[in-house]
Amino acid sequence: MADQPILLPQGQFAGYARNGLANLPADDEITRIMPGTPCGEYLRRFWMPIALTSMVGELPLKLRRMGEDLVLFRDRSGAYGLLHLLCSHRNASLEFGIVEEHGIRCCYHGWLFDTDGTILETPGEPATSQVKDRLCQGAYPVIEHKGMIFAYFGPIADMPDFPRFDTMDLPDDTMAPFLIPSPANWLQVFENSIDPYHVTFLHTRVSGVQFQENLVNLPVVDYHERTAGNGVFYTSTRRVKDLVWFRVHDHMLPNFSQNGGMHVEGNDSTYFVRTGLTRWVVPVDDTNTITIAWRHFNKETDPQGKGRPEECGYNSVDFYGQTGERSYEQRQRSPGDYEVWVSQGPITVHAREHLARTDQGVALYRRRLRRAVRKMAEGETPLQPTANVTTPIPTYGGDTVLRAPAHSNDDRQFMSDLSKRVADIYRASDGETGETRRTAIRRALRELEAGLQ
Ligand code: FES
Ligand SMILES: [Fe+2]
C-alpha cells in the first residue's frame, strides 16, 4: 500500500506514517541483470560497449560487466579476447595471465587460451590427454570500434549484427570516447536520459546554469515513434523569442540514447544538426554501472569550439556534473546528473516514487522495457536496433531551430504540433543515408520554416 500515507492531511508531520515506505522491495523485473534473471537475459541479446580501447594495454584487464567477472586483453597478434576471469583448470585469475602471440596463458599451470576460449595447450598434461578437446574457457565475442570495445554476452546462435548507427560516421566529426562508473543500478542512470524536464530544474533553475540559459523554460515534450528498433525519439521544444528550438533525443531499448548538441544555444535558425553525445548505460552488476559514450566535436554543434575532447576519457568528460570527482561541498551547492542518479540509492525503489505528469517519458520507457523483458521470457526474439531499416541505422538526435512567430492563442500547442511535423520530416528520409538524407531533411525543414512566416 505504497500510496496510503500520502492520503493523510497535508503537512501533518507524516514521517512516522511514511516510515513503512523504507522497506518496500525494488522492481527486480527491470532492474536486476545477473545471469538468469529476466532483465539480465534480455540485455544479453544486444551488443554493448564495455571498455575504452585506451584501457587495454600490454597486461590483462580485470573487468566486471553484466554481473560477471571477466578478463579483457589484446594478444600480440592484435586480437581482442574477453574471457571468464577464473581459469577453467583450477580457478586462478587470468588477470595474472601472460598475454602471448595467440591468446593468454594462465600463470598457475600454463594452460593457454585462445581469444574464443579454445584451450590451445595444457603443457603439464600427458601428450595423450584430451582435456583440452573436451573443455573450453567461457568467452564472449568482441568488436573494437573508434576507441570502444563492444561485447555480446548472449547465446552465440542468437548473435545479432553489430549496430552501425549513422552518427558513427558523421562528416568532419571528431569522436572522443569516455567511460564513467557510478555506484548505482543501471536503470536509474539510463532513465535520466528520458527525463527532459530535469534539464530545466537540475541544470538551470535550481543549481544555476550548467549548460545553456535558454533551457530555463519548461519544454513542450513530444514522443515520436521511430522506424528502427524498439524505442522513441523525443523533442524538447522551447520558444526563444521568435524562434522555436527543438532538441531531439534518441532513446532506444535497452540502453542507448543520443542527446542534442552540447553547445547549441537555440539563438539562430539551425537545420538537423546532429548529436553531441552517443551513449550507452551498461551494468557492471546490480548496483554499479558505467556510462560509456562518444562525445562528438564538430563546427556545426559547436561553432565557437567550446568542447574539450582532451578531457574525455576514463572517469572524465567535458560537461558538467557527470562524475563523483568534485568536492562534497561543490556537489551539494550545484549538484549534477551524477548526484541525482547515485543519491537515489544502490537500486532505486519504484514503489516509493510518485510519478507525475513530467515523468511521462520514464513511465513510457519502463512500460516498454517490462513488455520487452516479458516477451523475451515467453520466447520472442528481441527487436534489435537494426530491425526495419538498412544500415547505417538512421537516428535523429540533435537540434533544429526554426523561425516561427509566437502563436497568439496557444503557443505551447502550436509548438507541439510543429514538433510532430519536424518528426515527420526526419522520418521521411529514413530510407536515405549520409549526405542525401541530410540534404533532404534540411530542404524540407527550410520549406516548413518558409511556410510559417
Ligand atoms: S589454474 Fe590455470 S592452468 Fe591451472
Ligand atoms: Fe542531465
Side-chain angles (χ1 to χ4, degrees):
M1 296 291 97
D3 287 338
Q4 263 180 1
I6 213 169
L7 300 176
L8 289 168
Q10 306 250 319
Q12 298 293 310
F13 295 113
Y16 183 83
R18 291 178 64 87
N19 256 339
L21 299 185
N23 300 323
L24 290 168
D27 192 348
D28 288 353
E29 187 177 35
I30 54 172
T31 56
R32 295 202 182 264
I33 56 76
M34 295 301 278
T37 58
C39 189
E41 284 302 300
Y42 174 64
L43 287 173
R44 280 173 170 75
R45 291 333 189 251
F46 297 87
W47 280 98
M48 53 185 73
I50 57 159
L52 306 179
T53 307
S54 59
M55 292 163 67
V56 188
E58 275 177 72
L59 297 173
L61 179 69
K62 180 183 167 183
L63 276 183
R64 191 164 162 79
R65 298 287 183 260
M66 297 298 297
E68 300 183 37
D69 290 314
L70 304 160
V71 63
L72 174 64
F73 62 96
R74 179 169 42 200
D75 71 16
R76 287 205 236 123
S77 76
Y80 285 95
L82 180 66
L83 305 184
H84 283 168
L85 183 68
L86 302 187
C87 173
S88 49
H89 176 216
R90 270 182 46 221
N91 299 338
S93 173
L94 293 175
E95 74 192 283
F96 302 109
I98 307 302
V99 174
E100 301 215 343
E101 183 65 19
H102 291 290
I104 188 168
R105 190 180 296 280
C106 178
C107 65
Y108 204 2
H109 310 95
W111 288 21
L112 178 67
F113 301 103
D114 206 346
T115 51
D116 67 354
T118 304
I119 304 177
L120 299 171
E121 293 175 15
T122 53
E125 299 302 306
T128 52
S129 166
Q130 292 179 358
V131 71
K132 67 177 173 17
D133 308 317
R134 286 191 286 108
L135 262 187
C136 66
Q137 180 74 10
Y140 295 114
V142 164
I143 288 175
E144 200 256 344
H145 192 71
K146 297 200 173 179
M148 281 198 222
I149 313 279
F150 291 75
Y152 168 71
F153 289 89
I156 211 66
D158 300 338
M159 188 168 81
D161 289 339
F162 180 74
R164 272 194 87 91
F165 292 97
D166 57 353
T167 43
M168 289 178 177
D169 291 293
L170 295 172
D172 305 316
D173 184 46
T174 302
M175 291 157 75
F178 67 91
L179 183 157
I180 292 171
S182 296
N185 180 256
W186 76 281
L187 187 62
Q188 67 211 55
V189 178
F190 186 49
E191 283 178 348
N192 177 272
S193 63
I194 196 155
D195 172 8
Y197 298 98
H198 88 268
V199 174
T200 290
F201 297 101
L202 178 70
H203 298 316
T204 318
R205 287 191 200 172
V206 182
S207 311
V209 177
Q210 297 174 347
F211 296 103
Q212 316 296 347
E213 254 168 52
N214 286 339
L215 297 171
V216 72
N217 294 327
L218 211 55
V220 174
V221 181
D222 291 272
Y223 301 88
H224 314 282
E225 280 303 318
R226 56 187 319 124
T227 313
N230 188 354
V232 294
F233 61 104
Y234 67 85
T235 38
S236 302
T237 310
R238 291 177 173 84
R239 176 157 294 288
V240 182
K241 299 185 183 130
D242 61 343
L243 298 161
V244 179
W245 178 13
F246 306 89
R247 276 181 81 69
V248 185
H249 288 235
D250 288 294
H251 200 272
M252 200 184 285
L253 267 67
N255 58 350
F256 173 84
S257 70
Q258 291 188 136
N259 290 31
M262 286 296 160
H263 298 284
V264 175
E265 295 179 358
N267 290 320
D268 306 294
S269 285
T270 302
Y271 310 96
F272 190 50
V273 160
R274 302 311 312 274
T275 182
L277 189 63
T278 299
R279 167 168 58 185
W280 287 259
V281 169
V282 178
V284 170
D285 52 31
D286 281 340
T287 55
N288 290 280
T289 297
I290 55 166
T291 299
I292 177 163
W294 284 294
R295 272 281 284 116
H296 296 270
F297 298 93
N298 58 64
K299 284 241 158 58
E300 280 193 348
T301 55
D302 184 10
Q304 293 163 35
K306 291 182 181 165
R308 293 275 167 269
E310 66 280 6
E311 287 177 17
C312 299
Y314 184 82
N315 206 18
S316 176
V317 69
D318 69 330
F319 62 97
Y320 197 88
Q322 301 301 298
T323 73
E325 298 291 287
R326 295 183 300 145
S327 75
Y328 185 52
E329 183 179 342
Q330 282 176 328
R331 293 169 54 217
Q332 282 194 295
R333 288 195 186 281
S334 182
D337 289 312
Y338 182 91
E339 282 66 45
V340 295
W341 62 54
V342 171
S343 68
Q344 289 175 320
I347 305 184
T348 194
V349 176
H350 294 166
R352 291 182 68 171
E353 300 174 329
H354 298 91
L355 298 191
R357 233 193 112 222
T358 50
D359 304 302
Q360 225 180 350
V362 170
L364 170 82
Y365 168 60
R366 284 185 196 168
R367 254 194 329 271
R368 285 193 178 213
L369 175 63
R370 204 179 299 282
R371 199 184 313 138
V373 167
R374 285 183 187 171
K375 287 207 156 155
M376 207 200 105
E378 288 162 9
E380 222 170 82
T381 305
L383 206 55
Q384 291 292 325
T386 45
N388 307 325
V389 283
T390 50
T391 296
I393 301 160
T395 63
Y396 314 94
D399 296 85
T400 284
V401 185
L402 300 180
R403 197 160 293 282
H407 211 266
S408 48
N409 268 346
D410 186 345
D411 199 38
R412 291 181 76 79
Q413 186 59 49
F414 167 69
M415 290 194 287
S416 172
D417 294 344
L418 204 51
S419 83
K420 292 179 181 99
R421 294 173 71 184
V422 169
D424 284 342
I425 288 174
Y426 276 29
R427 268 184 306 232
S429 294
D430 279 351
E432 309 290 346
T433 58
E435 205 43 48
T436 315
R437 177 169 176 248
R438 269 153 64 100
T439 308
I441 291 176
R442 287 177 177 182
R443 187 187 304 124
L445 288 171
R446 283 176 196 275
E447 281 168 17
L448 172 65
E449 186 181 49
L452 298 169
Q453 307 315 310

